[in-house]
Amino acid sequence: MSDNSQITEEELPKEEEEILDEKKSQELAEGIIQKEEISYHSEAFSKIEKQVEHSLSLQKTDEALKDITLWALYLGSSDVHYDCYEEHIVLRYRIDGMLVDIFTLAHKDYKVVLERLKYASGLKLNITNIPQDGKYELKLENKKIDVRVSTLPTKYGENIVSRILDASNAIIDFKDLWFFWTSKRMIERAINKRNGMVLVTWPTGSGKTTTLYTMISKLNTRDKKIITLEDPIEYELPGIVQSEVNEKLGFDFQKWLKALMRQDPDIIMVGEIRDYDTLNIATSASLTGHLVLSTLHTKSAAETLDRIINMGLKPYILASALDTIIAQRLVRKICEHCKVEKEKTPEESMIIKSMMNETWMWAVPSEAIKLYEWKWCEECNSSWYKWRLGIFEIITFGLALKNLIREWASVDEIIEEARKGDLITMKEDWILKAIKWHTTITEILRVI
């Protein structure tokens, strides 16, 4: 934001003006985010570079690749990116959802790492002009780590993204999903029903798979048959029948789901609903005595209804089948090792008050939300944040909401009726977690 567009304290609305207009709110938000732009840096990054350089100098490509992956695990990274540019290759880790530059590789060094990656993943070494997908397994002392590899030809070489799948981080205890007690109660009621459809929504990278797998693990008892349909299977779940779509052989979600239904399941997990045919079969399954769990890409819990209806499902069928929608995002958690409470700026105070008024939380004093400054520490790689937590918006569809769906009600009407029950919107969920000092106003403005 340029100096002449900065908002001074004198220009802020008076305290009695409860809600900021959209333009003023956006300007305040941009100013707060720009003030707190953080660059990750750590002594560990130079250690990784030296270790990899040493392994490559000894022509130990396996060791270099293992070093990169083990350090990614140590730093809590979900993906390793090898981005090709004219001068060099940049190795980056995705840490707590943010891409972080670790070090650069010369093209000649990257060439041998690339060949080793492709060989380990079962990819063809002589094919460099079309994308390829593969995977390999890294065995540690007490567990195995699956690494999924994707290549993309670019002007300066083949970009690689390696996704690290660590089941110990994906399947967690239900109580550790960061649900407040009302939300937790809504979900427990939904997944303990014999039939119905539970959808987890929001874009890629918002933790939907972890939520699904955790719910499935809670339901996993010997008196139930649980079958999953995934593309691909991300984590192995003991005691659960997992199947993987193989579109190369002509078996898409629709055909595979039809075959799955003949296996007499009690609970079905469909990795993602992508089209009307898959949606129709999943809906039919929920109407015929099955509990169906799945994901869908939408922007909010209520807008999921519009997306489903636009895919072609009749509202009266949707109303009968649908039980619960969980919309979620992941935000970075405050580093507990170096946080120090600070005074709010006028801009931050106005944003907080506006959000609380917008979400009808007048009874909660904005002073209850504390903000923090940070000391630089190695625990969070000098980023101020360590790990992530979920913020949620959950709608459970009782009789009144089902009737509104049948009447083609708008999103606003759905939300208004849901508020009469236990609905906590995503902004409300954030405010409650900010009061508990788990995350920051900057992080929420960045994500929502």
Side-chain angles (χ1 to χ4, degrees), residues 40 75-79 93-100 205 330-335 379-381 383-389 443 446-447:
Y40 284 70
L75 293 172
S77 173
S78 60
D79 304 88
Y93 289 164
R94 188 175 292 280
I95 303 173
D96 295 335
M98 306 293 287
L99 274 174
V100 181
L330 292 177
V331 295
R332 289 177 295 174
K333 191 173 181 291
I334 295 171
C335 177
E379 288 290 333
C380 61
N381 303 310
S383 70
W384 303 358
Y385 299 96
K386 182 70 173 178
W387 309 122
R388 290 191 289 176
L389 59 89
E443 183 66 359
R446 183 185 67 83
V447 171

Side-chain angles (χ1 to χ4, degrees), residues 208-224:
K208 299 188 299 296
T209 300
T210 298
T211 300
L212 274 183
Y213 275 28
T214 302
M215 290 192 293
I216 284 289
S217 297
K218 184 176 177 64
L219 293 168
N220 186 16
T221 57
R222 296 309 302 159
D223 62 323
K224 298 188 183 87

Side-chain angles (χ1 to χ4, degrees), residues 272-328:
E272 181 185 345
I273 293 177
R274 300 176 178 177
D275 52 43
Y276 170 75
D277 291 326
T278 306
L279 173 64
N280 189 41
I281 298 169
T283 303
S284 298
S286 73
L287 292 172
T288 54
H290 303 85
L291 179 64
V292 179
L293 309 178
S294 190
T295 70
L296 196 67
H297 288 189
T298 60
K299 294 192 294 181
S300 71
E303 289 178 14
T304 302
L305 303 173
D306 283 345
R307 170 77 192 282
I308 292 173
I309 291 171
N310 287 336
M311 289 173 74
L313 194 69
K314 301 296 182 185
Y316 69 89
I317 297 176
L318 174 61
S320 299
L322 189 59
D323 187 274
T324 300
I325 298 176
I326 306 166
Q328 69 176 71

Side-chain angles (χ1 to χ4, degrees), residues 40-54:
Y40 284 70
H41 58 272
S42 168
E43 292 178 3
F45 299 172
S46 58
K47 290 180 182 178
I48 301 168
E49 183 175 14
K50 289 176 182 176
Q51 217 169 307
V52 172
E53 285 179 349
H54 179 68

Side-chain angles (χ1 to χ4, degrees), residues 12-25:
L12 291 172
K14 302 298 182 184
E15 286 198 6
E16 61 268 17
E17 294 181 23
E18 295 181 337
I19 301 178
L20 298 169
D21 63 65
E22 186 176 347
K23 181 180 178 182
K24 181 76 74 174
S25 180

Side-chain angles (χ1 to χ4, degrees), residues 33 42 72 80 114-115 220 260 288-290 348 358 404 419:
I33 291 170
S42 168
V80 180
L114 173 64
E115 288 177 353
N220 186 16
L260 183 154
T288 54
H290 303 85
E348 290 166 340
E358 182 185 336
L404 283 176
R419 281 188 177 278

Side-chain angles (χ1 to χ4, degrees), residues 8 21 82 84 190 193 222 230-231 298 321 339 374 388:
T8 65
D21 63 65
Y82 302 83
C84 299
K193 293 180 179 178
R222 296 309 302 159
E230 305 173 62
D231 182 22
T298 60
K339 71 177 184 181
W374 290 261
R388 290 191 289 176

